[in-house]
Amino acid sequence: MSIMWSLHLRRDAASVPLARRLLIGSMDTAGVDPDISYDLSVALSEACANAVEHGGAGSPAPESAYRVTAYLDGERCRIEVANSGPGFPARPARSVPMTAPQDESGRGLDLIEQLSDHAHFGNKPGRAGAVVSFDKILKWREDAPLVAV
């Protein structure tokens, strides 16, 4: 079983719950365990909120867009959120949390890492924009109609 969808969304706060509801609906229809769906939906909300806030090409214009792509393939869900903003600043490899508890920004990336099995934060090669991708192994409800075989 595979499900894939992609959205091209305006950088507007109203786009965040839209992406979240589509992900939850897809996973519910497929029969994914609700706890896994919840974790991924919170991580997606954080990634989308970052794209809305930081994802413009040097401009805060809300009409600029970002893309959300989700793949439920076999036993894993992979999500990617890409924008056309300035991208992530260069930073050294870290061995401590990205943000201190009192920091007002950056906590969303830490949350994405905690709620997923793997997370990657990078820049689009050769052009402006950030890409946040994360994945998680799926668990299924007993009555799941589309369980991977």
Side-chain angles (χ1 to χ4, degrees):
M1 179 273 308
S2 293
I3 298 172
M4 191 282 278
W5 52 262
S6 186
L7 301 170
H8 189 79
L9 298 166
R10 285 181 16 163
R11 276 184 54 229
D12 183 282
S15 68
V16 177
L18 173 66
R20 182 179 175 138
R21 282 192 298 265
L22 183 58
L23 178 66
I24 289 172
S26 298
M27 290 194 291
D28 184 50
T29 300
V32 174
D33 178 84
D35 291 336
I36 299 294
S37 297
Y38 178 78
D39 287 352
L40 286 170
S41 71
V42 171
L44 175 61
S45 294
E46 292 295 334
C48 290
N50 283 343
V52 168
E53 184 175 349
H54 306 292
S59 148
E63 60 270 12
S64 59
Y66 66 102
R67 180 173 304 278
V68 176
T69 306
Y71 307 90
L72 280 79
D73 191 20
E75 294 294 322
R76 182 173 301 278
C77 178
R78 184 176 195 298
I79 299 170
E80 182 177 287
V81 177
N83 66 57
S84 58
F88 290 101
R91 66 175 191 252
R94 61 182 200 196
S95 59
V96 296
M98 182 182 287
T99 57
Q102 70 276 9
D103 287 349
E104 287 297 316
S105 64
R107 284 184 260 171
L109 299 180
D110 286 337
L111 189 55
I112 291 167
E113 285 184 318
Q114 292 169 18
L115 293 171
S116 62
D117 292 332
H118 302 96
H120 178 2
F121 313 112
N123 294 322
K124 291 180 183 176
R127 57 183 203 226
V131 178
V132 173
S133 60
F134 52 96
D135 63 64
K136 191 167 184 86
I137 294 174
L138 299 174
K139 293 179 187 168
W140 302 91
R141 296 188 320 252
E142 273 189 41
D143 65 340
L146 299 176
V147 171
V149 287

